[in-house]
Amino acid sequence: VVSTQSTGEELVYRLAGEMLEKVPEDYVPHEVKARLTKYGIFQPMNIFLRQEIDRIQKVLTVVKQTLRDLQLAIDGTIIMSDALKDALDNIFDARVPNTWAKVSWESSTLGFWFTELLERDMQFKTWIFEARPNVFWLTGFFNPQGFLTAMRQEITRAHKLALDVVQLFNEMTRMNKEDVNSSPTDGVYIYGLSLDGAGWDKRGMSWWNPNPRFSSPPSLLYTCSLSMR
């Protein structure tokens, strides 16, 4: 007779192995520094990128350590600590372990959370190792407000303006993120925002609300730029 506990541990052991195979590679500090130096290490957007990479690396470190230790604990090589027991129970129930949630973001299920980990990492690795994106996934950042602040600083420096004489504004476009093939002259294109209780009429470029409970993300981009007060 196979016990429920044994079956659960075997499942989690297998899931841990599968996630370890998929979890992204660590960021090598000297490689990151070299790329940032090439881009301009003290430029506002690059300072922001470095901070975001530091945070995603912390998540990667915690995830890998948890999964490896979990397999060792299930094998009986190390003691099953309270934190590992929490991770085992949550992974079995398809929830995010508490140690991961503390250093990352909210998510309804482990599957959604892990997919977002891969997508966030892809945005950062593309930016640092290939080129600055033409369009940014705003909600894929740990600090979205910091991203917009860095954008303001970038533009004010370029135009030799003070931060207190400019303000942010946004503009909906007709482009899907796949349609964007260049960056705006000033500002950034972003995607990933959602609407709750409303929709967006792409043809009429206006809000519409067929049902107060209706929620859907617009397949559009916000153009973030600056305006003189």
Side-chain angles (χ1 to χ4, degrees):
V1 178
V2 179
S3 68
T4 303
Q5 179 179 359
S6 175
T7 304
E9 289 183 349
E10 290 174 359
L11 173 62
V12 172
Y13 189 97
R14 178 174 60 80
L15 291 174
E18 291 175 355
M19 283 189 281
L20 278 171
E21 291 179 357
K22 296 176 182 178
V23 70
E25 294 292 326
D26 289 342
Y27 291 81
V28 181
H30 72 83
E31 292 179 355
V32 171
K33 184 177 180 181
R35 297 298 296 182
L36 289 173
T37 300
K38 178 181 178 181
Y39 293 152
I41 198 167
F42 297 115
Q43 294 299 315
M45 291 288 272
N46 296 331
I47 292 174
F48 168 80
L49 175 58
R50 177 180 56 79
Q51 294 170 341
E52 291 285 306
I53 287 176
D54 288 344
R55 293 189 68 173
I56 197 70
Q57 179 56 56
K58 183 175 182 180
V59 177
L60 294 176
T61 299
V62 171
V63 168
K64 291 177 182 179
Q65 189 65 55
T66 299
L67 295 174
R68 289 168 181 152
D69 287 350
L70 197 51
Q71 288 189 318
L72 291 173
I74 292 173
D75 279 337
T77 305
I78 64 174
I79 296 174
M80 180 73 74
S81 66
D82 290 341
L84 290 176
K85 182 64 168 61
D86 168 82
L88 188 149
D89 291 341
N90 277 305
I91 291 175
F92 180 77
D93 292 331
R95 299 193 305 262
V96 182
N98 289 326
T99 51
W100 300 3
K102 288 178 181 178
V103 297
S104 61
W105 49 88
E106 294 183 1
S107 187
S108 58
T109 69
L110 178 59
F112 288 144
W113 185 93
F114 196 78
T115 297
E116 188 165 337
L117 170 64
L118 301 181
E119 292 174 346
R120 283 174 179 247
D121 174 78
M122 180 60 69
Q123 174 163 246
F124 297 137
K125 283 202 167 80
T126 299
W127 188 353
I128 189 68
F129 294 120
E130 296 182 20
R132 173 168 164 162
N134 292 323
V135 56
F136 296 88
W137 176 29
L138 185 66
T139 46
F141 294 134
F142 290 93
N143 182 14
Q145 187 59 49
F147 172 77
L148 296 178
T149 299
M151 184 208 70
R152 289 182 65 201
Q153 293 172 335
E154 181 179 70
I155 297 177
T156 53
R157 286 187 184 186
H159 294 282
K160 295 181 172 56
L161 299 170
L163 275 175
D164 59 359
V165 301
V166 295
Q167 63 183 351
L168 283 170
F169 73 91
N170 58 69
E171 176 186 347
M172 297 292 285
T173 79
R174 288 187 167 87
M175 293 184 291
N176 295 317
K177 63 184 177 70
E178 295 81 10
D179 301 326
V180 181
N181 52 31
S182 63
S183 299
T185 302
D186 284 328
V188 292
Y189 290 121
I190 62 172
Y191 70 97
L193 302 183
S194 60
L195 297 174
D196 190 1
W200 180 257
D201 178 7
K202 189 174 180 180
R203 179 177 297 178
M205 295 294 286
S206 62
W207 305 104
W208 65 296
N209 189 356
N211 188 322
R213 293 169 296 179
F214 179 76
S215 175
S216 68
S219 57
L220 300 164
L221 300 170
Y222 277 88
T223 302
C224 291
S225 189
L226 296 166
S227 173
M228 296 297 296
R229 288 178 177 173

